[in-house]
Structure formats: structure tokens, C-alpha cells
């Protein structure tokens, strides 16, 4: 009888075999032109976002692009009326030590994550320190910052007007999911907890948001006497939750993947919890549900340079029985270059099928750090295949202030419009606009 661990190893091997390269010859990043190298993807334009090229999450509203920043903090608004020439029109920052790198936009309202500028307030020898220590114990410096969720009116293009702020005492918000509607699903750290947990916020009255519930994995509530059951060097924290109907799908970094019944937002109910780390490296980052097919695409974020922790994968899960999710395949790993030698290589995120954007349960747009953007056909969920790609250039300079970080592309997030136009961010390299030609 085959164990679950053996089955998962077999899936990873399957993903490796499925990713035969366009050219078997490994190449260096030195020969990548400024517009990158596209296969069924065309480069349209580039922006340094008004001199702040450290880009993370991207949202689009009324022909304007909203970008959160990883290191410099704040939100930049770009006029995208002509995608061939993005124009910075506004920059908002809540304070020097506050980071607002993640945001959500729906119905002319923007929700911004406010929290400690982690890099400015922590001391790490390398970027792995962020991914291998719980947040509460890794703060090394003191400073004033905002911790909570800010709500902004963006009905006037190019403007961002704060209309409410929901304070969450702690180290702040990492990411949220709000496609519109009454409830926002927030990953937040609260005093007394070791790291980010789930917080459900009622935004029925936008100027008076209220927390209706919190949920966490056992071992995270230090104030209540809970102690971690996982070993040192592993970080258990909610990266974020994505919902579909009355189900919530959540990624917990090294803590795995959970599915929740959200019919009563005041009492979210755990339906299942699965963790494939070990044997896989962990870093579970994005849980994308495909409700029409009863599947979920779950991304493990690559978080070590030069493949020092092995290969990270994106799993496809069968979630027909939400009490028993089953991994059935992995997305193919890019292999046409020696990506491991050039920095951080592997998955980071996927386009999240937001209302008003490109939505598909068969075509997946994914970011792969120095391997850029990959587009996958998953019509056969047991045998997904890559159908388009774009390899990014090396950024001109390093914005990341952490020591021992190499200068390499770190393609981060991708937002895809209904006509296949992609806004692609990089932690150090600004924003590239691409056109999918599949």
C-alpha cells in the first residue's frame, strides 16, 4: 500500500518530467534583453513606478493600476489609459515604518494592509531569516507604525482618499482577500500570537469596519498558553485565504493548507487540514479555488536562493470532498535555463481570478521569481502543461536592503485583464506590461 508521503513524492517527480524544456541547453541570465524573452507572450512596456521599483501586489481599477511596495512602503497609482506608457500619478504612504505592500480593490474601494515594515525593523543575515522564524520573535528594532486595515475611496481615478482605519494591535496585516461583498478575509498579527492568523472583517458599513471572528492553527496563541508543535526553523503563519461561495481556502506557509466552512462568518469551521511539508520545503503561499471543477491550485513560495531548500512546487488538489483534499499533480517546473544558479527560483503566486479580471479554471497564470511568468493549461488536471512563458531581465539595481541577497529578477505578482494584458511586478525590478498571445 502506498503512503500519502510516497504519493506526494511521486507527484513531484511527475511535475519534473512534465516540464521538458524548449531547449535543453542551460543559459545564463546575462543574455536576457531588457524586454525579457517571451514565448507566446509579448512585451508591451516597462515602468519603474515613479522611482520606486520594489513592486508587490497589483490591482486594476478604472484604467489605473495600484501597486503596493515591498521595501519603500506605500501605494503608487499609475495611469494605464495607454498600457504602452504607464504614468505615475499619485503616491500615498501612511508613515516611514509602515508597509502597505498588499491591497485589494473592488467597487471603487481599496483595502490596504498596514503593518510593520518588517525589513526595516528586523535584522536578518539573509532573506531566509524571514521565512524561517515566527514574526513575533524576530523583531529586533523599535519604531512607530500603523497596524490594521485602511479603507480608501478610489472612485476618482488617480486619487486615494482614506475613509476608515481598523486598528489591529500587533505587527499588522500581511494580505487580504476582498472581491467585494460584506466580508474581508484578512491575514493579521495580533498581540499575543506568534504570527499572522485569519481575521474576518465585516465591511458592510465601510466607514465602520468590525472584526467578527479570528481563527488560527493550534500552537499560535502564545497568550493563551499554546506552544508550537513544529520544530524551529519552520514558520507557521497565514499567508492569506481566498474564498469561493461559503468555502474558504487558506495557505499557512510551513503549516500547510486548510479548507473552511464560512456559512457563519462569526464561527469559521475547519473542514480539513493537509500539510505536505515535510517532505516538501513548505512555504504554502496561495490557495486558488476553482469551484466549477472542484479543484484548488495551491502555490508553495520558493524562499531560498540557488535552490538551497530544494524544488518548490505548485500543487493541484481535488477538493470534491472538502473534508479530504487530495493532491493529484504539480505544475511543470521550468527547466530551459539554469535558474537555480541565478537567484531565487520557483513559484511565488498566481493570478487570482478576481471579478472583472481574466477568469479561467483551465488557464493558470503564475509567477516564478527569476523564471518570470508561466502560463499553464490544466484542462487535464492530472497532466498540466506549460503553454507560454516570459523570462525577465536582471534588474538594474538591488532595492532589497537585506544582506547576502543576490541581484536577480524576482517576478512577484501578476494581474491579468480580460483581454490578456498582464501587469507583472518584481520585488526589485518595477513593473512589466505583457500581452498574452496564446
Amino acid at each position: 500500500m502506498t503512503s500519502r508521503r510516497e504519493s506526494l513524492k511521486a507527484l513531484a517527480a511527475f511535475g519534473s518530467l512534465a516540464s521538458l524544456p524548449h531547449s535543453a541547453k542551460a543559459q545564463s541570465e546575462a543574455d536576457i534583453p531588457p524586454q525579457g524573452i517571451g514565448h507566446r507572450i509579448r512585451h508591451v512596456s516597462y515602468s519603474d513606478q515613479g522611482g520606486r521599483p520594489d513592486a508587490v501586489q497589483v490591482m486594476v481599477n478604472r484604467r489605473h493600476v495600484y501597486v503596493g511596495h515591498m521595501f519603500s512602503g506605500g501605494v503608487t497609482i499609475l495611469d494605464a489609459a495607454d498600457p504602452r506608457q504607464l504614468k505615475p500619478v499619485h503616491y500615498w504612504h501612511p508613515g516611514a515604518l509602515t508597509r502597505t505592500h498588499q491591497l485589494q480593490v473592488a467597487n471603487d474601494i481599496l483595502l490596504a494592509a498596514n503593518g510593520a515594515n518588517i525589513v526595516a525593523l528586523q535584522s536578518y543575515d539573509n532573506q531566509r531569516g524571514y521565512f524561517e522564524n515566527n514574526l513575533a520573535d524576530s523583531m529586533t528594532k523599535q519604531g512607530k507604525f500603523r497596524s490594521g486595515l485602511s479603507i480608501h475611496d478610489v472612485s476618482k481615478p488617480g486619487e486615494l482618499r482614506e475613509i476608515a482605519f481598523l486598528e489591529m494591535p500587533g505587527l499588522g496585516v500581511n494580505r487580504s482577500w476582498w472581491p467585494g461583498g460584506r466580508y474581508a478575509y484578512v491575514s493579521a498579527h495580533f498581540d499575543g500570537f506568534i504570527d499572522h492568523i485569519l481575521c474576518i472583517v465585516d465591511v458592510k458599513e465601510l466607514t465602520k469596519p468590525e472584526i467578527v471572528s479570528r481563527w488560527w492553527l493550534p500552537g499560535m496563541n502564545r497568550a493563551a498558553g499554546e506552544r508550537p508543535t513544529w520544530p524551529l526553523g519552520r514558520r507557521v503563519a497565514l499567508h492569506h485565504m481566498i474564498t469561493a461561495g461559503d468555502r474558504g481556502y487558506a495557505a499557512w506557509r510551513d503549516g500547510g493548507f486548510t479548507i473552511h466552512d464560512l456559512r457563519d462568518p462569526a464561527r469559521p469551521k475547519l473542514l480539513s487540514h493537509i500539510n505536505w511539508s515535510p517532505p516538501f520545503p513548505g512555504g504554502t503561499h496561495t490557495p486558488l479555488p476553482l469551484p466549477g471543477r472542484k479543484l484548488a491550485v495551491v502555490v508553495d513560495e520558493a524562499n531560498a536562493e540557488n535552490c538551497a531548500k530544494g524544488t518548490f512546487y505548485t500543487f493541484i488538489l481535488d477538493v470534491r470532498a472538502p473534508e479530504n483534499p487530495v493532491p493529484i499533480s504539480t505544475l511543470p517546473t521550468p527547466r530551459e535555463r539554469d535558474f537555480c544558479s541565478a537567484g531565487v527560483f520557483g513559484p511565488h503566486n498566481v493570478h487570482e481570478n478576481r471579478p472583472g479580471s481574466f477568469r479561467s479554471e483551465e488557464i493558470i497564470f503564475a509567477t516564478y521569481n527569476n523564471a518570470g511568468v508561466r502560463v499553464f493549461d490544466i484542462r487535464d488536471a492530472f497532466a498540466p502543461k506549460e503553454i507560454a512563458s516570459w523570462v525577465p531581465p536582471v534588474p538594474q539595481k538591488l532595492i532589497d536592503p537585506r544582506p547576502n541577497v543576490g541581484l536577480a529578477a524576482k517576478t512577484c505578482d501578476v494581474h491579468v485583464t480580460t483581454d490578456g494584458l498582464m501587469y507583472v511586478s518584481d520585488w526589485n525590478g518595477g513593473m512589466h506590461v505583457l500581452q498574452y498571445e496564446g
Side-chain angles (χ1 to χ4, degrees):
M1 182 176 179
T2 302
S3 69
R4 170 171 277 183
R5 178 172 294 188
E6 290 170 338
S7 297
L8 289 171
K9 286 183 177 179
L11 286 175
F14 169 81
S16 299
L17 291 172
S19 58
L20 292 176
H22 302 304
S23 169
K25 182 179 178 181
Q27 303 172 38
S28 71
E29 286 202 344
D31 59 349
I32 300 175
Q35 70 272 19
I37 299 174
H39 168 64
R40 300 177 72 185
I41 293 177
R42 175 172 53 86
H43 190 270
V44 175
S45 66
Y46 169 78
S47 173
D48 72 353
Q49 301 160 154
R52 299 178 182 87
D54 54 318
V56 190
Q57 196 166 24
V58 181
M59 292 284 133
V60 178
N61 188 67
R62 291 183 181 266
R63 303 179 75 180
H64 283 69
V65 176
Y66 297 78
V67 187
H69 295 287
M70 176 60 73
F71 307 112
S72 57
V75 175
T76 292
I77 305 177
L78 304 167
D79 184 335
D82 182 358
R84 297 168 299 181
Q85 189 175 4
L86 301 182
K87 299 178 181 179
V89 293
H90 187 68
Y91 173 68
W92 172 81
H93 199 308
L97 293 177
T98 301
R99 185 172 69 169
T100 51
H101 62 311
Q102 312 283 8
L103 37 93
Q104 297 281 282
V105 175
N107 306 325
D108 288 335
I109 296 295
L110 181 146
L111 273 56
N114 287 237
N117 187 327
I118 303 300
V119 175
L121 293 172
Q122 295 175 324
S123 296
Y124 293 129
D125 292 332
N126 56 60
Q127 62 178 312
R128 282 178 61 173
Y130 173 76
F131 297 102
E132 298 176 4
N133 295 278
N134 73 65
L135 193 62
D137 293 338
S138 61
M139 302 297 287
T140 58
K141 303 173 184 177
Q142 299 293 322
K144 186 177 181 180
F145 55 86
R146 294 210 309 180
S147 176
L149 191 70
S150 58
I151 301 178
H152 307 259
D153 182 337
V154 292
S155 59
K156 294 182 179 179
E159 297 184 16
L160 192 151
R161 181 172 64 89
E162 185 171 305
I163 59 175
F165 181 74
L166 176 61
E167 184 175 9
M168 300 177 181
L171 298 176
V173 173
N174 178 62
R175 198 170 178 125
S176 59
W177 170 254
W178 183 67
R182 180 167 180 175
Y183 297 102
Y185 302 86
V186 181
S187 165
H189 173 267
F190 292 87
D191 288 336
F193 288 83
I194 62 171
D195 223 309
H196 298 108
I197 66 170
L198 172 65
C199 173
I200 301 180
V201 178
D202 187 339
V203 292
K204 181 180 180 180
E205 294 188 41
L206 288 168
T207 59
K208 297 179 180 180
E210 296 182 352
I211 296 173
V212 296
S213 63
R214 301 187 298 180
W215 193 95
W216 59 92
L217 289 173
M220 298 186 70
N221 191 347
R222 179 177 289 169
E226 297 179 6
R227 293 293 179 265
T229 58
W230 50 91
L232 292 175
R234 302 188 65 76
R235 184 180 176 192
V236 173
L238 178 65
H239 191 276
H240 67 301
M241 170 183 278
I242 296 179
T243 63
D246 58 13
R247 293 286 185 266
Y249 302 80
W252 294 87
R253 299 186 186 266
D254 297 338
F257 168 74
T258 57
I259 301 178
H260 301 256
D261 182 336
L262 301 175
R263 284 177 292 184
D264 182 356
R267 297 174 180 82
K269 178 183 177 183
L270 178 67
L271 297 177
S272 59
H273 180 201
I274 181 174
N275 192 358
W276 40 78
S277 174
F280 297 99
T284 304
H285 181 284
T286 306
L288 176 65
L290 305 177
R293 300 181 64 189
K294 293 182 170 53
L295 297 172
V297 175
V298 183
V299 182
D300 280 3
E301 176 187 10
N303 55 42
E305 295 203 9
N306 308 121
C307 299
K309 295 168 72 172
T311 302
F312 289 76
Y313 294 94
T314 296
F315 295 86
I316 297 180
L317 277 67
D318 184 323
V319 295
R320 285 177 294 172
E323 299 82 7
N324 186 36
V326 178
I328 59 174
S329 65
T330 59
L331 298 185
T333 297
R335 297 192 185 280
E336 75 272 18
R337 288 173 172 263
D338 182 10
F339 291 113
C340 281
S341 68
V344 177
F345 165 55
H348 182 264
N349 204 3
V350 291
H351 171 66
E352 295 181 346
N353 281 350
R354 298 183 62 80
S357 72
F358 180 94
R359 304 179 78 177
S360 173
E361 298 199 357
E362 297 180 343
I363 304 298
I364 301 297
F365 292 80
T367 58
Y368 269 73
N369 285 285
N370 69 0
V373 176
R374 304 284 153 159
V375 185
F376 299 98
D377 181 338
I378 65 164
R379 282 177 290 183
D380 182 347
F382 291 92
K385 59 184 180 181
E386 181 182 302
I387 57 174
S389 64
W390 176 78
V391 179
V394 178
Q396 293 185 356
K397 63 180 180 179
L398 188 67
I399 307 300
D400 190 337
R402 293 172 293 187
N404 303 313
V405 175
L407 179 61
K410 274 189 67 67
T411 305
C412 184
D413 273 37
V414 55
H415 181 100
V416 188
T417 66
T418 54
D419 57 358
L421 196 67
M422 294 181 279
Y423 294 94
V424 179
S425 64
D426 186 298
W427 278 19
N428 293 287
M431 179 176 294
H432 290 271
V433 183
L434 311 173
Q435 178 65 58
Y436 173 56
E437 297 184 325

